[in-house]
Amino acid sequence: MQADKQTSSGQDGTPPEDRQARDRVLLDRLERQLIDGAAAPDARFLSELLACLRGLQREADSLRVRYDGLFNAVPDPISILDASGRVLDLNRAGERAYRRPRDEIVGQLVHVINPDLPEDHMNPVMDALSRGDTYVVEVNNMRADGTRFPVEVHSASIQDGPHQHVIAVARDLSRRHEAELNYHALLVAIDKGVLFQGFDGRVLSANPAAYRILGLDEGLDVAAGLRFDDWLVIDHRGYPISFREMPPVRALATGKLVESTLLGLYHHRRKQLTWVTATSVPQFKPGADTPHQVISLFSDVTELKRDSALFLRAQALARIGGWEWDGGRNRLYLTDEALRIIGRRDDPPRTLAGVMTQIADSHRRQVEDAIESVIRDGGGFDLEVQVVRPDGESHWARLIGQSEGRAPMSARITGTLQDITQRRQIEEALRSQARTDPLTGLFNRDGILGELERRLGDGPAGTTVIYIDLDRFKLVNDLLGHSAGDHLLVNAARRLERCIGEHGILARFGGDEFLVVAQTGDDPARGEALADEITRAFGDSFRYAGEEFTITTSVGLARHPEHGRSVQQLVNNADAAMYDAKRRGRNTWQVFNPELAQKQHDRVQIEAQLRRALDNQEFRLVYQPLVSLADGRVRTAEALIRWHSPILGEIRPDHFISHAETTGDIVRIGAWVIETACRQMATWRAAGFALERVAVNVSYRQFLNEDLVQVVRDALRDHGLPGSALELEFTERVLIEDAPDTLHTFEALRALGVVLTIDDFGEGYSALNYLRRLPIHGLKLAHSFLQGVPGNESDVAICQAVAGIARGLRLDVVAEGVESPAQRDFLLGLGIGTGQGFLFSPGLEPDSFCDFLRQAGLCNVTP
């Protein structure tokens, strides 16, 4: 106290500011005398100067005492550092904390108490202090024995004369960390749910009890599990409440405690209702007026609510009723919502038998077995059953039961009863959509097959399957567009509906195919009469956008059980009968018969063997010469495929090519034919046979495959042939399959130099506009038109027309199937110069083809 008094005023009572001014005058005077070299100061001046110096000494001592007292009175370790991090001073709290004397630390770099600090650790400190800020960091400092303890260091700047130092206060966080661990342990151990939410209501975290009460998986993000849209929240009266009415949101909005609020939490997906009582406490940061978060504590009170009216209200909202059966007393208890579902509010059943009569007959045995199993073995059940109310109205319900304690021989079962009628109606609507063709509104393939399977399983014999295909539908669809095709399908469906009426079920089976399942009993004529009516219904033409066109039907019939006992057998056999009707000229119907069964069997066998034939090297090529009709010289050869199966024997091309096109195997087979023919052509040329080219038949399926051009390019390159050495023959079907892609493929083949020819011209679609647009070289006159010449006037006229078209478009014409000199002479008269057929030679093996050339002298041979 005395030191403080002396530093406040001098011994003479002079105020400090006057004394300090006087001292400065004396010191200035002494400085001038020393600078000017004046004589020694007089005694009075020295006396005053001595008093000034003693006053300054006393003031400095006083300040030191105060500094030491304050410095050492602080309970936290304080270090004074220079800009490099060297310790200039340390208080007693620091000595105690680091368990070292002051002399061991002062003068050392701060690493002596924290060796983990980086070399540049002072840079961020000095940067913050230069901005006038304080610098705060959490680190682990080290005691003399090497043990560490967490501290929070607050650094500030102090000025010591011309030097800027750093004062660092380290607060020991050991107790705070211990408190946090205890707090966390408490949150884990407590049986109440604790939920933390931010200022915006967003869920931040929750304790394990909250996860358990709310039915959340431990690994699930709590924010994802508590999306408000996934829950229905109700108040104590059973009415839904909004997000803003939730206790934590109210606590955030008002800043006040929201105590003991009863809430019902219903999870939509799990269909689970949990009752909780919750208290929400807003949390404020120091000095803040609005809360930055809210903590909610809640307990599960679902068990307490089981028999209350509030629980019944929640059940009604969710359409879930509760039930309990006491086997010892044979008493049944149902909540109000459960009674509503079964329609027995006015007459509640008291026994299990009293309510079992309301379970539909088809489900009753299933429920009885489930209850017996639970009584005997414990466990539970979950069933969906139909419940018939006293007024006869039928509802769907989900019935869940669980033995109490889940122990065997339990005499008590509790469960829920949920009205799922609306859900089942939606599911049925979706199933109906899945079974319905969107264009025509008829059954689709899956729908009709399911109905047929049901009839075969439940109904008596006498079901007839009628398979319907629209003849030449693809032509209309390709020429007039898909809109016209859709219009045609819809109108065709309406005509078929009028024909079928109540006699059967109609479905669009796919594309332009329809299927009828008719109940014809033991009278086969009823199915045939229906097929005949279908055929006649398409006698009138269709109209679209001013265009009129005729579409007919090919119809096949198969009866159960004589034509098949399974769904697949009946459909396949009706399909086979339909194809036979199409083969017979279309616009007719055909009943399945054993001969068709044999054809069907042969087709299955052929397709099965066909998949392995190429890998087993069962194919070979024979070559038929194409000769000049004028002089008989061989110009080219056509490669013809032959198949000898070790199981089926020799198979004619017209028997297996169509199957290969249907299965897609023709793509691989066709590539093999091109490569083999090119290899043979290279062999002949190397042997000196000067053939112009070899012709290969190409399927429309190969044109649809993007690899055709590459297959041709590789075959020509691998065997050193020019493109002109290969001719590709294709039918008119190629021309209308896919015009843009077809044109691109033609142009690419033409660029390779390959010769392109339309085979069997006139037998297919005869799309004459393609002759003008596509880069083709020639036509092959169909064999069927040549058979009647020169005697048949129609055949003669067709041959003349084809020759005229080719001549006008400057296309080469080849006649195939020339079998007589008269036919040859007729063709020469039309200006057709090349032909092939048995008049000259059949298809020959490669060696026999060479012998034919040598013997007949029909080809130049290079020596």
Side-chain angles (χ1 to χ4, degrees):
M1 293 298 290
Q2 185 63 34
D4 290 344
K5 187 174 182 179
Q6 290 176 353
T7 56
S8 300
S9 62
Q11 291 180 337
D12 57 0
T14 306
E17 57 272 13
D18 293 343
R19 179 172 49 77
Q20 291 171 358
R22 183 191 63 192
D23 293 342
R24 281 195 297 272
V25 171
L26 290 172
L27 292 173
D28 290 344
R29 179 180 172 187
L30 177 61
E31 183 179 11
R32 284 196 302 272
Q33 289 182 1
L34 292 174
I35 293 173
D36 296 340
D42 55 28
R44 180 182 177 185
F45 174 72
L46 289 174
S47 175
E48 292 176 349
L49 181 60
L50 179 62
C52 172
L53 291 175
R54 285 176 176 171
L56 291 173
Q57 180 64 46
R58 286 193 300 272
E59 186 174 354
D61 292 342
S62 175
L63 288 174
R64 182 66 191 179
V65 170
R66 272 205 271 181
Y67 166 78
D68 288 341
L70 289 172
F71 193 56
N72 292 312
V74 177
D76 296 320
I78 301 178
S79 306
I80 307 295
L81 311 174
D82 64 13
S84 66
R86 192 172 302 278
V87 181
L88 303 178
D89 203 355
L90 180 72
N91 69 349
R92 292 194 187 98
E95 292 182 282
R96 291 192 299 271
Y98 304 129
R99 299 175 185 173
R100 294 184 179 187
R102 176 176 177 278
D103 295 342
E104 288 186 10
I105 297 176
V106 173
Q108 303 291 326
L109 291 175
V110 74
H111 293 83
V112 72
I113 58 175
N114 192 337
D116 298 330
L117 292 174
E119 292 296 329
D120 60 348
H121 71 97
M122 290 300 291
N123 291 348
V125 179
M126 301 309 293
D127 287 343
L129 299 185
S130 67
R131 297 191 299 268
D133 300 331
T134 58
Y135 185 78
V136 182
V137 65
E138 286 191 15
V139 295
N140 289 311
N141 283 351
M142 185 175 69
R143 302 184 181 95
D145 60 1
T147 58
R148 309 293 180 96
F149 63 100
V151 295
E152 181 180 75
V153 182
H154 291 253
S155 299
S157 176
I158 61 172
Q159 195 71 29
D160 185 9
H163 303 291
Q164 182 184 16
H165 296 320
V166 178
I167 180 169
V169 180
R171 175 150 297 170
D172 191 340
L173 300 180
S174 301
R175 291 186 178 179
R176 191 177 85 180
H177 282 198
E178 183 179 353
E180 289 176 352
L181 290 174
N182 292 336
Y183 176 66
H184 178 72
L186 177 63
L187 286 179
V188 172
I190 193 172
D191 63 351
K192 291 183 179 292
V194 182
L195 196 66
F196 297 84
Q197 293 172 260
F199 68 93
D200 56 356
R202 181 171 51 89
V203 178
L204 302 176
S205 63
N207 72 335
Y211 274 80
R212 175 179 52 78
I213 293 171
L214 298 174
L216 304 178
D217 296 332
E218 290 186 7
L220 180 67
D221 175 58
V222 66
L226 292 179
R227 285 192 297 264
F228 191 75
D229 291 343
D230 294 340
W231 299 78
L232 171 66
V233 183
I234 58 177
D235 63 13
H236 66 283
R237 298 168 300 172
Y239 293 107
I241 66 174
S242 66
F243 180 74
R244 292 185 176 183
E245 296 173 299
M246 295 284 288
V249 180
R250 287 164 49 204
L252 286 169
T254 64
K256 297 179 180 179
L257 177 74
V258 179
E259 289 188 281
S260 301
T261 305
L262 186 64
L263 298 172
L265 308 177
Y266 177 75
H267 194 272
H268 293 297
R269 181 175 57 80
R270 294 198 305 269
K271 297 179 173 54
Q272 177 181 338
L273 176 68
T274 303
W275 282 97
V276 299
T277 177
T279 296
S280 296
V281 183
Q283 301 289 298
F284 297 84
K285 289 184 177 180
D289 295 330
T290 57
H292 72 283
Q293 70 173 19
V294 61
I295 302 177
S296 298
L297 291 85
F298 55 94
S299 301
D300 187 348
V301 296
T302 305
E303 292 296 328
L304 302 176
K305 296 292 298 176
R306 186 185 67 177
D307 297 324
S308 69
L310 303 179
F311 188 42
L312 294 177
R313 177 61 180 164
Q315 287 182 330
L317 285 172
R319 296 195 171 189
I320 300 175
W323 62 277
E324 181 180 82
W325 180 67
D326 185 346
R329 298 182 177 87
N330 191 25
R331 292 297 301 271
L332 179 67
Y333 169 77
L334 296 114
T335 65
D336 189 62
E337 178 62 15
L339 292 171
R340 184 200 65 79
I341 293 173
I342 66 173
R344 298 282 295 275
R345 277 180 170 172
D346 298 332
D347 179 26
R350 300 301 180 187
T351 64
L352 194 61
V355 78
M356 288 298 295
T357 57
Q358 291 187 244
I359 306 296
D361 294 342
S362 56
H363 296 142
R364 188 177 304 152
R365 185 61 187 173
Q366 183 183 16
V367 175
E368 291 173 346
D369 291 345
I371 292 175
E372 288 178 7
S373 175
V374 169
I375 294 174
R376 182 180 65 251
D377 303 322
F381 58 84
D382 188 340
L383 304 173
E384 292 189 2
V385 298
Q386 274 189 301
V387 176
V388 182
R389 292 178 173 178
D391 60 4
E393 187 177 354
S394 178
H395 281 246
W396 278 95
R398 182 183 182 188
L399 179 63
I400 299 176
Q402 183 74 47
S403 64
E404 290 225 348
R406 300 186 179 182
M409 304 307 295
S410 173
R412 186 183 297 272
I413 303 175
T414 60
T416 58
L417 185 68
Q418 181 182 9
D419 188 342
I420 59 171
T421 304
Q422 186 176 14
R423 194 201 80 194
R424 291 294 295 237
Q425 289 172 344
I426 293 173
E427 290 175 353
E428 183 59 34
L430 292 175
R431 275 195 295 269
S432 177
Q433 291 178 9
R435 292 156 49 94
T436 303
D437 174 55
L439 179 63
T440 61
L442 304 175
F443 270 119
N444 60 14
R445 185 186 189 93
D446 291 339
I448 194 66
L449 291 180
E451 186 64 23
L452 178 56
E453 185 170 13
R454 186 187 65 79
R455 290 200 176 196
L456 295 183
D458 300 340
T463 298
T464 299
V465 174
I466 303 175
Y467 206 119
I468 306 163
D469 181 82
L470 303 184
D471 299 326
R472 300 177 71 86
F473 168 79
K474 181 172 176 53
L475 180 62
V476 174
N477 199 52
D478 290 337
L479 294 180
L480 299 182
H482 292 298
S483 294
D486 290 347
H487 178 81
L488 172 59
L489 288 171
V490 172
N491 280 276
R494 300 293 86 82
R495 290 192 187 186
L496 290 171
E497 281 181 318
R498 289 192 292 270
C499 293
I500 304 305
E502 301 296 326
H503 302 297
I505 301 173
L506 174 65
R508 183 185 175 199
F509 205 57
D512 60 345
E513 297 175 337
F514 294 84
L515 199 75
V516 177
V517 175
Q519 201 65 39
T520 54
D522 56 358
D523 184 6
R526 293 170 62 183
E528 295 170 7
L530 196 56
D532 190 59
E533 186 175 352
I534 291 171
T535 303
R536 286 187 284 105
F538 284 78
D540 295 334
S541 58
F542 290 84
R543 292 181 178 274
Y544 179 78
E547 298 287 342
E548 184 173 338
F549 47 88
T550 299
I551 294 293
T552 58
T553 59
S554 296
V555 181
L557 293 85
R559 290 191 297 271
H560 175 267
E562 56 262 44
H563 297 152
R565 293 187 175 274
S566 70
V567 169
Q568 201 58 48
Q569 281 181 323
L570 285 171
V571 173
N572 288 346
N573 291 342
D575 184 27
M578 181 272 291
Y579 272 106
D580 189 60
K582 197 174 284 290
R583 183 184 63 82
R584 294 171 182 268
R586 301 184 175 91
N587 194 27
T588 187
W589 54 269
Q590 177 65 41
V591 179
F592 185 77
N593 56 58
E595 181 183 352
L596 292 178
Q598 184 60 46
K599 289 181 180 179
Q600 186 84 341
H601 177 266
D602 293 345
R603 184 177 75 177
V604 172
Q605 278 201 318
I606 288 174
E607 290 180 1
Q609 298 301 318
L610 193 60
R611 294 189 179 278
R612 298 187 289 267
L614 186 59
D615 296 331
N616 294 340
Q617 299 180 347
E618 297 173 12
F619 293 116
R620 70 184 191 283
L621 296 183
V622 298
Y623 299 87
Q624 186 174 37
L626 278 71
V627 304
S628 169
L629 297 179
D631 57 18
R633 293 176 60 83
V634 176
R635 301 178 61 181
T636 63
E638 180 179 2
L640 304 172
I641 191 169
R642 297 292 183 264
W643 176 26
H644 181 80
S645 167
I647 295 176
L648 304 178
E650 195 73 25
I651 310 297
R652 290 168 46 186
D654 58 340
H655 283 183
F656 72 82
I657 291 296
S658 60
H659 295 297
E661 288 181 329
T662 300
T663 62
D665 292 314
I666 194 65
V667 175
R668 289 181 62 232
I669 296 172
W672 175 85
V673 171
I674 292 173
E675 199 280 332
T676 303
C678 287
R679 182 173 65 247
Q680 184 61 61
M681 184 65 177
T683 301
W684 284 334
R685 287 198 168 189
F689 294 97
L691 285 174
E692 292 180 14
R693 57 183 175 270
V694 63
V696 173
N697 289 283
V698 180
S699 167
Y700 77 95
R701 291 292 295 267
Q702 290 172 267
F703 267 85
L704 295 178
N705 189 283
E706 298 177 356
D707 295 335
L708 176 59
V709 175
Q710 189 61 44
V711 168
V712 171
R713 182 184 293 113
D714 292 345
L716 294 174
R717 183 198 62 227
D718 292 347
H719 299 292
L721 296 176
S724 59
L726 178 64
E727 178 178 354
L728 298 183
E729 298 181 2
F730 52 90
T731 64
E732 292 168 282
R733 181 171 183 177
V734 171
L735 302 180
I736 67 167
E737 282 296 332
D738 192 349
D741 288 347
T742 301
L743 183 60
H744 175 74
T745 303
F746 270 103
E747 289 174 345
L749 292 171
R750 185 70 179 260
L752 293 174
V754 176
V755 178
L756 303 173
T757 301
I758 300 178
D759 194 14
D760 293 330
F761 183 77
E763 283 193 344
Y765 298 100
S766 298
L768 300 180
N769 60 316
Y770 285 102
L771 298 181
R772 175 176 53 85
R773 293 171 49 205
L774 295 178
I776 59 177
H777 298 84
L779 311 173
K780 291 191 78 171
L781 184 62
H783 172 256
S784 59
F785 298 135
L786 198 60
Q787 289 179 327
V789 299
N792 186 292
E793 293 183 358
S794 298
D795 287 348
V796 168
I798 291 175
C799 291
Q800 289 173 338
V802 172
I805 291 171
R807 188 164 49 250
L809 296 175
R810 298 181 181 179
L811 300 175
D812 294 332
V813 179
V814 175
E816 55 183 344
V818 182
E819 298 178 354
S820 68
Q823 291 174 337
R824 178 191 59 195
D825 295 341
F826 169 77
L827 295 170
L828 285 170
L830 294 180
I832 298 175
T834 305
Q836 67 184 106
F838 288 160
L839 178 63
F840 309 110
S841 172
L844 303 171
E845 301 289 340
D847 292 340
S848 299
F849 186 84
C850 293
D851 294 340
F852 171 79
L853 296 178
R854 294 191 187 97
Q855 292 173 5
L858 298 178
C859 183
N860 293 327
V861 179
T862 303

